[in-house]
Structures are given as structure tokens and as C-alpha cells.
């Protein structure tokens, strides 16, 4: 399985993500896409591959210093980054809004595949990578190949620090609820870091 998508929009998203995210965050974004895409393949889910890839690559840019809003939750800031990038790529307004929505919804309550495949896949992919949720559903050789191509690079502690910082500065945001629910312990217990 390939971990990237080769379209103009996908290449632009990878270029921007590579420019602004450190290795740990960039590799997480690629792994989130790969876990979601593999889940879709294994479950026969139809989805817009390019839209999902772009959203996955950009979903955490709101955690990076250049895009960290002092007022908006990181997923909303990241959604705005996606809107701006995809506007520059010539995407129509409704497709730009979908990219933003997918990024925002990845931090919300579970979204079912039937109602919104791309948001569901981003939730599945990020949850597998961040805390190991549903990891047993993936073929071990797939997971091993993905980790070899896109290593963790200390992702767990890096991500924990980023969301804890968001929670402290923005106590009403989804990251604050996530941290309060025991995120640090779940991240630390991720089998991908064993």
C-alpha cells in the first residue's frame, strides 16, 4: 500500500505539512491517512480519497506555532489552513468547506461512516495512531510497514505536550475535554510505542 497520493492537491498538502510540522507530527498525519485508508479498504467504504488525504495531512497544523490561534481550538485553526490552501488550489467553496469540516470533526463525538465517510476515517486513523484504538483490526504486517516508512519519532510525548498546552490555554476546547478524560495515559499506553 502506498502512503501518499499523487495529485496536485495531495502534493501541495504534503509540501505544506512537511514545511510546518516536525517529523513526529508529519509522520502522524501520514499514518492517520494510511490507517484510515486501510480501514476503508478492509471495510469496503467509499470515500473521496483526495479530500481525505488533504484533510489528514493538514489536520494538526493548528498545533504548530505559525497556525496556533490564541482563540480557536487547534482543529478549527487547522480547518482554516485547509480552506486557504485548497482555495489556492482552485477547489470550489463546498469542497473547501468539506476539508475544514473533516478536520474539525476529528475532535468531536464519533461520526458514523454512513453519514460522513471522510470524517469517520480521520477519526479512525487518528485514534489508531494516537492511542492504539482499533489497532488489532489492522494486519500486523501493514502496521509494521507503515511504522518503518513513517516512524513514530517520539510522537506520543510530543503530542501529549501539544494537547496539554492547548487544554491549559483554551479550557473550553475539545482538547481540554480530551486531556481531562485521561488522554495522557491512553497515549502513553499505545502499543505502537511498545
Amino acid at each position: 500500500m502506498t502512503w501518499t497520493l499523487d495529485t496536485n492537491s495531495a502534493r501541495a498538502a504534503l509540501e505544506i505539512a512537511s514545511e510546518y510540522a516536525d517529523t513526529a507530527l508529519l509522520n502522524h498525519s501520514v499514518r492517520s491517512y494510511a490507517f484510515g485508508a486501510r480501514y476503508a479498504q478492509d471495510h469496503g467504504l467509499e470515500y473521496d480519497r483526495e479530500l481525505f488525504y488533504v484533510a489528514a495531512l493538514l489536520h494538526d497544523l493548528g498545533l504548530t506555532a505559525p497556525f496556533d490561534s490564541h482563540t480557536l481550538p487547534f482543529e478549527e485553526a487547522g480547518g482554516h489552513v485547509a480552506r486557504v490552501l485548497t482555495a489556492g488550489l482552485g477547489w470550489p467553496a463546498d469542497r473547501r468547506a468539506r476539508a475544514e469540516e473533516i478536520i474539525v470533526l476529528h475532535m468531536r463525538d464519533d461520526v458514523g461512516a454512513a453519514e460522513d465517510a471522510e470524517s469517520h476515517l480521520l477519526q479512525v486513523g487518528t485514534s489508531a495512531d494516537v492511542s492504539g484504538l482499533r489497532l488489532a483490526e489492522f494486519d500486523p504486517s501493514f502496521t509494521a510497514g507503515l511504522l518503518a516508512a513513517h516512524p513514530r519519532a517520539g510522537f506520543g510525548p510530543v503530542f501529549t505536550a501539544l494537547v496539554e498546552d492547548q487544554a491549559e490555554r483554551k479550557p473550553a476546547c475539545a482538547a481540554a475535554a480530551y486531556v481531562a478524560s485521561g488522554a495522557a495515559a491512553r497515549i502513553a499506553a499505545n502499543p505502537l510505542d511498545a
Side-chain angles (χ1 to χ4, degrees):
M1 175 169 191
T2 180
W3 319 118
T4 60
L5 194 62
D6 191 25
T7 68
N8 288 337
S9 295
R11 287 190 300 273
L14 178 58
E15 182 177 347
I16 292 301
S18 299
E19 187 171 332
Y20 288 100
D22 65 14
T23 301
L25 207 56
L26 175 64
N27 285 357
H28 159 66
S29 297
V30 173
R31 289 190 308 267
S32 295
Y33 165 75
F35 277 125
R38 182 57 178 255
Y39 180 88
Q41 177 184 319
D42 291 348
H43 291 83
L45 298 178
E46 296 291 326
Y47 67 102
D48 183 323
R49 188 172 301 273
E50 181 181 64
L51 177 63
F52 174 52
Y53 182 83
V54 169
L57 267 287
L58 304 177
H59 82 274
D60 277 343
L61 286 186
L63 290 170
T64 66
F67 302 115
D68 182 8
S69 170
H70 70 284
T71 58
L72 294 176
F74 80 89
E75 67 276 14
E76 291 180 22
H80 288 292
V81 172
R83 282 188 83 107
V84 170
L85 174 67
T86 56
L89 294 169
W91 284 22
D94 60 337
R95 190 167 172 79
R96 295 192 309 265
R98 276 292 295 137
E100 177 184 22
E101 178 181 42
I102 293 163
I103 292 170
V104 169
L105 289 179
H106 97 277
M107 285 295 291
R108 301 302 188 261
D109 291 334
D110 188 43
V111 177
E115 64 183 291
D116 183 345
E118 294 82 14
S119 295
H120 180 72
L121 294 176
L122 189 55
Q123 287 178 333
V124 167
T126 57
S127 296
D129 195 60
V130 171
S131 59
L133 189 66
R134 291 184 162 160
L135 204 53
E137 295 180 31
F138 296 93
D139 183 290
S141 64
F142 163 80
T143 303
L146 179 57
L147 292 174
H150 299 281
R152 301 285 287 168
F155 172 72
V158 167
F159 189 72
T160 299
L162 288 169
V163 294
E164 286 177 344
D165 175 64
Q166 291 284 310
E168 182 179 328
R169 291 185 294 115
K170 306 169 196 175
C173 74
Y178 176 64
V179 168
S181 73
R186 290 191 304 278
I187 293 168
N190 188 338
L192 293 176
D193 291 324

